[in-house]
Amino acid sequence: MSSTARTTATRMASEIAEQPDAARRTFAHLRPEQERLREAFTGRRRVLLVARGSSDNAAIYGRYLLEVSAGIPSALAAPSVATHYRARLDLSDSLVVSVSQSGATAEIVETQEWARACGAATVAVTNVAGSPLADAADVALVTQAGPEVAVPATKTYLTQLVALAVLADAFGAESSLAGDLERVPDVVARLLDADVSAAAEALAGADRVVVSGRGLLLGTALETALKMEETCLRPVRGYSYADLRHGPISVVTEGLLAVLVASATGPLAEPMADLVRDLQERGARVLGIGGTADFAGLCDLHLAGPDLPETVEPIASIVPSQMMIEQMARRLGLDPDNPRGLNKVTQTDR
């Protein structure tokens, strides 16, 4: 095992390493809440998710999973509809899921209150029991990440994904996600042994970076881009595979490093290999995470992804990204624990 791969020189690295236990605790703690979730959804037909920042990327995964796995129409709500426009909507057919690590972001708390006033049932996903968001929800899914000291969200983000998978599993009519969720902690632990130093070095030396993924892994791609921006102070664009194929493909030229997050299974696995070829023909280098053997063989650099079904793969697929970004920040002489200008609890202009 590489000492570089498992260094705990920063709080961010330490918290990344805590994720197997955090995932295991969260699944065990939240699974008994599934009956309450089903009761809250009684008479409802759709789910709206409310979040900002990293939590928004977690919500993107939740939205895809609810539709793909549970067959429930789902969407991301715009908090400003509640907090600025103060629109009155009929949400009597909706379950509104508010996602906030701290449970104290005023905009998210206010939007949950608005949703209830509009007739919605409410679920809070947060890491803080007794927070305003948790206390006001019909059902509180309190993740068990433990205190997170580093400003960039790592274990709180991953446990949010676990919580959203537990939610989707509660509503699934056919196949259960529970068996696959039980495998996640051990798979995450194995990913922690990876040597990501070459990927970190390539990213630190790149002038321009884009990140792309699609489907269930879109949230992972967007979270990778966000973490790189906030931790390494580099402008990084995150795109869905489909969006990158349109207008933004024109920015792909010599000198660009494209980070592609791919699944090893599912309907989007092969198209991601096609994207590698396209980007390389335009002069880009490709750093791949996960994907099929064909995808891995095509990439200029590659990090192994989790050996999990696509439905729960995103819970673990963020781990290689977290590790390489923590190392990238240190290579750039930055403190990944305290990115410039950021606080742990973000208060937006409501």
Side-chain angles (χ1 to χ4, degrees):
M1 178 178 65
S2 165
S3 60
T4 302
R6 291 298 289 269
T7 181
T8 55
T10 65
R11 287 300 308 171
M12 184 178 178
S14 297
E15 288 167 356
I16 290 169
E18 292 171 16
Q19 290 179 123
D21 288 341
R24 191 174 289 109
R25 289 193 303 267
T26 297
F27 179 59
H29 182 73
L30 296 185
R31 194 176 182 190
E33 297 296 320
Q34 289 185 317
E35 184 55 41
R36 293 184 65 210
L37 290 169
R38 285 188 283 268
E39 290 173 2
F41 193 65
T42 301
R44 317 283 170 167
R45 69 176 189 86
R46 62 174 175 164
V47 174
L48 296 177
L49 297 113
V50 178
R52 290 290 193 197
S54 285
S55 298
D56 208 29
N57 296 329
I60 289 171
Y61 165 66
R63 178 247 174 129
Y64 271 98
L65 189 63
L66 282 160
E67 294 195 332
V68 170
S69 179
I72 296 173
S74 304
L76 272 63
S80 60
V81 170
T83 60
H84 279 284
Y85 292 101
R86 305 191 184 283
R88 182 72 185 182
L89 304 183
D90 180 1
L91 300 180
S92 58
D93 66 346
S94 302
L95 177 73
V96 171
V97 180
S98 300
V99 190
S100 167
Q101 291 143 17
S102 68
T105 299
E107 180 186 34
I108 306 303
V109 172
E110 185 176 334
T111 301
Q112 181 178 259
E113 293 171 353
W114 165 86
R116 180 190 291 278
C118 290
T122 58
V123 172
V125 176
T126 178
N127 194 48
V128 182
S131 62
L133 198 72
D135 283 350
D138 294 316
V139 182
L141 299 181
V142 180
T143 58
Q144 303 297 299
E148 189 171 62
V149 177
V151 172
T154 54
K155 60 180 181 173
T156 52
Y157 174 80
L158 185 142
T159 53
Q160 285 179 340
L161 301 184
V162 173
L164 291 166
V166 169
L167 175 79
D169 184 55
F171 302 150
E174 298 178 5
S175 60
S176 171
L177 300 173
D180 295 325
L181 283 168
E182 288 176 344
R183 294 177 52 209
V184 165
D186 290 340
V187 172
V188 170
R190 288 195 291 273
L191 289 172
L192 293 173
D193 287 334
D195 184 349
V196 301
S197 56
E201 183 176 359
L203 286 166
D207 293 328
R208 293 176 296 129
V209 177
V210 298
V211 185
S212 184
R214 196 174 181 187
L216 284 155
L217 282 162
L218 175 59
T220 304
L222 297 180
E223 176 65 6
T224 297
L226 176 63
K227 279 290 169 291
M228 212 176 300
E229 285 194 318
E230 69 182 12
T231 308
C232 301
L233 310 181
R234 294 282 184 87
V236 179
R237 291 299 304 270
Y239 296 100
S240 78
Y241 160 98
D243 289 338
L244 181 59
R245 283 284 199 182
H246 289 84
I249 199 72
S250 62
V251 307
V252 178
T253 57
E254 194 78 30
L256 180 123
L257 179 61
V259 180
L260 303 185
V261 184
S263 176
T265 60
L268 296 171
E270 289 308 317
M272 290 302 290
D274 293 336
L275 181 60
V276 176
R277 298 183 184 96
D278 190 2
L279 295 173
Q280 289 172 334
E281 287 174 1
R282 296 171 183 270
R285 297 179 70 210
V286 175
L287 165 57
I289 300 174
T292 63
D294 183 30
F295 172 87
L298 290 168
C299 293
D300 298 285
L301 291 166
H302 183 261
L303 297 175
D307 179 19
L308 290 167
E310 186 185 17
T311 47
V312 298
E313 187 177 7
I315 303 173
S317 65
I318 192 60
V319 175
S321 293
Q322 294 169 340
M323 294 166 62
M324 72 182 186
I325 291 167
E326 188 272 342
Q327 289 192 27
M328 176 187 175
R330 289 192 286 112
R331 286 174 183 274
L332 293 171
L334 301 170
D335 178 5
D337 293 341
N338 297 287
R340 185 178 67 208
L342 295 182
N343 296 307
K344 196 65 183 168
V345 179
T346 301
Q347 299 294 0
T348 57
D349 173 16
R350 294 179 293 155

